[in-house]
Amino acid sequence: MSAAVEAPKKVWTEAELQALPEDGYNHEVVNGELVMSPKNTWYHGLICVRLSAALVHFSSEHRLGAVLDSSTGFWMHNRNCRAPDISFVPKSRLTALGFKPKEERFFPGAPDLAVEILSPNNTRAEIDARLRDFFSSGTQLAWIINPETESVEICRSLTQRKLLGSGAFLEGEDLLPGFRYPLADLFKEWDWE
């Protein structure tokens, strides 16, 4: 009886990932495979920029750390390269790693806060795999935003989860002490009139 031999997984380098063409896709590495996902919708982008702006303003005002967008690569401990929709890394961790604003490399580990905004094609298995990578690589808090149900799942680990609906607030807890953002503001209509 012969045993099946599994082909070795490709180990991607930062140079290879950074050399990928701007082809309209977001690129990540998962289990040695290049995963491409299409750009996101208008609504997804609007939610992302609303929350990013609030986090950047708060973090800058209190000098807490860096808020990053979905173009930022994070090397997980298993060599997956993930890019959450929004990320936060506190100044203490950046300082300890000697990470500078003009770094030309991906971050070694997961962000302390990882935010994912669900798209219609996301599956629970995919989100759980992302959370496994995040929490095993340094994430302390994850927010999974569901635009369809206008809710957010607050995850402090793979098993410690809480669902928030309308009327609730996103809170920065120990990572962004004092940050409090009304959940309804993520999903509101424009009020230009």
Side-chain angles (χ1 to χ4, degrees), residues 10 21 37 47 80-81 92 118 124 133 136 171:
K10 176 167 176 45
S37 56
I47 292 168
N80 284 349
C81 184
S92 59
L118 298 180
R124 177 42 76 183
D133 280 356
S136 69
E171 300 198 23

Side-chain angles (χ1 to χ4, degrees), residues 172-189:
E173 301 182 16
D174 295 337
L175 288 176
L176 296 146
F179 179 79
R180 196 162 194 258
Y181 188 85
L183 195 60
D185 285 2
L186 290 176
F187 311 111
K188 69 181 181 182
E189 294 291 326

Side-chain angles (χ1 to χ4, degrees), residues 66-77:
V67 177
L68 302 138
D69 71 0
S70 65
S71 66
T72 307
F74 290 85
W75 284 119
M76 303 293 108
H77 291 318

Side-chain angles (χ1 to χ4, degrees), residues 91-103:
K91 126 179 112 174
S92 59
R93 190 166 171 214
L94 294 169
T95 302
L97 290 171
F99 228 71
K100 305 287 184 204
K102 295 183 181 180
E103 290 288 342

Side-chain angles (χ1 to χ4, degrees), residues 23-94:
D23 56 4
Y25 290 92
N26 293 321
H27 301 96
E28 290 185 320
V29 173
V30 179
N31 300 323
E33 298 288 325
L34 184 65
V35 176
M36 301 184 324
S37 56
K39 297 292 184 191
N40 291 304
T41 65
W42 174 277
Y43 190 37
H44 184 283
L46 186 61
I47 292 168
C48 193
V49 78
R50 284 175 174 169
L51 184 54
S52 294
L55 287 167
V56 166
H57 175 76
F58 186 86
S59 179
S60 296
E61 182 180 18
H62 298 282
R63 306 178 86 157
L64 297 174
V67 177
L68 302 138
D69 71 0
S70 65
S71 66
T72 307
F74 290 85
W75 284 119
M76 303 293 108
H77 291 318
N78 61 6
R79 287 303 288 171
N80 284 349
C81 184
R82 297 288 192 178
D85 289 316
I86 305 169
S87 303
F88 171 74
V89 180
K91 126 179 112 174
S92 59
R93 190 166 171 214
L94 294 169

